Amino acid sequence: MTTSPEGAGPDVRSLRAEQVMSRVLVAVTPDESPLMAWELMRRAGVHHLPVVDGRHVLGVLSRERLAASWSGGPYEQSGRRVGTMLGGEPRPRVGPRDTLRRVACVMADAGADAVPVVSERGLVGLITARDVLVAVAGRACAEDRPGGTGDRPGEVITGMFHLQPVVPPRS
């Protein structure tokens, strides 16, 4: 790996998706309700949730898309499913060995601010626009973060959660 001219870290041209992706993920199944997806995002402090069916990534649900589709109250939201919110738009994805430049191109072409990183094993990480900016700024890569390749190479920690709504019964 080469270093940048400023000597601030790895040269951005040599960075790979696996070096900048988040490995600790919160994901949901397509059958989860928007109400629960919102609560998971809030509790985990994330803005994107990969929607997965087994090893298959169906898409990434953003906080913005979730908020834009919100209508009605808790009852209406608990009856809907996030799988229906993914629509027919492109579902961009990248591989762990893809360059950061390719990741940025895929994100720009799709108009996406997050893309899943997928290998033959399935979902292995997620890259957000913030991750790309941090890497370009030379501030961090996976080796510098908890759960990064410096700790346990190749391991992704994905949490699948299901919360039960606490909604009072209708009168």
Side-chain angles (χ1 to χ4, degrees):
M1 182 181 318
T2 60
T3 59
S4 65
E6 299 85 22
D11 184 344
V12 71
R13 293 172 296 192
S14 68
L15 288 176
R16 304 275 176 202
E18 63 193 352
Q19 293 175 283
V20 298
M21 69 186 186
S22 298
R23 294 173 183 274
V24 179
L25 305 175
V26 178
V28 293
T29 65
D31 294 328
E32 192 58 78
S33 76
L35 183 64
M36 292 301 107
W38 183 266
E39 185 62 15
L40 285 172
M41 286 181 182
R42 188 187 70 76
R43 287 185 186 198
V46 298
H47 295 165
H48 303 90
L49 287 177
V51 180
V52 298
D53 184 11
R55 293 174 16 136
H56 302 287
V57 179
L58 304 177
V60 176
L61 181 64
S62 70
R63 183 178 284 187
E64 290 78 17
R65 177 175 292 252
L66 194 54
S69 73
W70 203 271
S71 64
Y75 294 106
E76 291 81 7
Q77 294 307 311
S78 63
R80 294 176 56 215
R81 299 293 164 245
V82 297
T84 63
M85 300 172 66
L86 297 176
E89 73 276 351
R91 296 182 179 150
R93 59 197 68 226
V94 296
R97 301 290 299 153
D98 285 347
T99 64
L100 191 58
R101 178 182 174 137
R102 170 148 169 64
V103 170
C105 286
V106 167
M107 291 173 82
D109 290 347
D113 57 354
V115 292
V117 182
V118 179
S119 76
E120 63 280 349
R121 296 186 328 251
L123 180 67
V124 295
L126 185 74
I127 298 181
T128 66
R130 183 179 189 286
D131 295 328
V132 173
L133 289 172
V134 167
V136 168
R139 302 263 171 101
C141 61
E143 289 86 359
D144 303 328
R145 296 192 300 224
T149 57
D151 294 342
R152 292 189 275 208
E155 181 174 352
V156 63
I157 303 168
T158 304
M160 293 295 291
F161 299 93
H162 184 78
L163 300 175
Q164 293 297 320
V166 180
V167 180
R170 283 191 165 172
S171 305

